[in-house]
Amino acid sequence: NAGVTQTPKFRVLKTGQSMTLLCAQDMNHEYMYWYRQDPGMGLRLIHYSVGEGTTAKGEVPDGYNVSRLKKQNFLLGLESAAPSQTSVYFCASSYLTPSGGRQVEQFFGPGTRLTVL
Amino acid sequence: GIQVEQSPPDLILQEGANSTLRCNFSDSVNNLQWFHQNPWGQLINLFYIPSGTKQNGRLSATTVATERYSLLYISSSQTTDSGVYFCAVGDYNQGGKLIFGQGTELSVKP
């Protein structure tokens, strides 16, 4: 199993450009998340999904959009990048217990380092 | 929302020393995880421990959910233990999203 993978690993954008970050997981997890990490800080949740075709806002959603068209993929889009979006972006996934009632441990991808000039 | 505080913010140890990292949280949670972020930025799962005690080699963790804190113990520290340790808490009834503390930056000197 590859676990959680993220594409690309690094990217430099100019202000106003758009891009999509791809997260893929091969663990058949129901839940997926996008976080950002700024220097000297913990991670903050941008958007999340509790299943295919569903998305919800997290703590810092402004300037981002997401889509979950397939269970294994979760896309994060920046329509018009701003310098304030310079950050490291982490994707995570987690699963329900066999009884279906409880989501447990989150597993993280390696991160995407984005710089907006 | 839930507040998560970690202490100490920084810690410098000599190789072989022991340490205790603390995580306090402000509300009831049913998910608590400890992570190690290595110098290359990778987040490594250490423990999923919403309550009780777990051990994995030189590391162990205890969460006392009723008193809203968790402790991470590192024994016989090694230089490879250096990095930032994060505590994160969550509620699986709210989409399972994690709230992270600010982290404890550990530096182990040879």
Side-chain angles (χ1 to χ4, degrees), chain A residues 31 33 35 37 40-43 45 48 50 90 101-108, chain B residues 30-31 33 35 37 41 43 45 48 50 86 92 94-98 100-102:
Chain A
Y31 291 67
Y33 308 83
Y35 295 86
Q37 184 179 28
M41 297 180 66
L43 281 67
L45 183 68
Y48 65 102
V50 299
F90 286 95
R102 189 168 174 178
Q103 166 271 336
V104 289
E105 186 175 5
Q106 286 189 28
F107 296 88
F108 282 77
Chain B
N30 44 45
N31 183 4
Q33 293 184 236
F35 298 91
Q37 188 166 40
L43 276 171
N45 288 36
Y48 166 71
F86 288 106
Y92 58 72
Q94 296 184 22
K97 50 196 174 186
L98 290 176
F100 279 75
Q102 298 283 52

Side-chain angles (χ1 to χ4, degrees), chain A residues 7-39:
Chain A
T7 308
K9 290 184 171 53
F10 304 93
R11 186 74 185 266
V12 178
L13 290 178
K14 294 181 179 178
T15 296
Q17 287 184 318
S18 64
M19 78 164 294
T20 300
L21 282 66
L22 171 63
C23 175
Q25 51 92 7
D26 61 0
M27 299 175 282
N28 200 34
H29 285 178
E30 289 290 333
Y31 291 67
M32 296 187 74
Y33 308 83
W34 276 107
Y35 295 86
R36 62 177 286 174
Q37 184 179 28
D38 299 310

Side-chain angles (χ1 to χ4, degrees), chain A residues 65-82:
Chain A
N65 56 75
V66 288
S67 64
R68 183 106 181 264
L69 298 180
K70 294 182 179 180
K71 185 177 184 179
Q72 64 268 32
N73 295 338
F74 195 28
L75 278 62
L76 178 70
L78 287 72
E79 290 187 348
S80 179

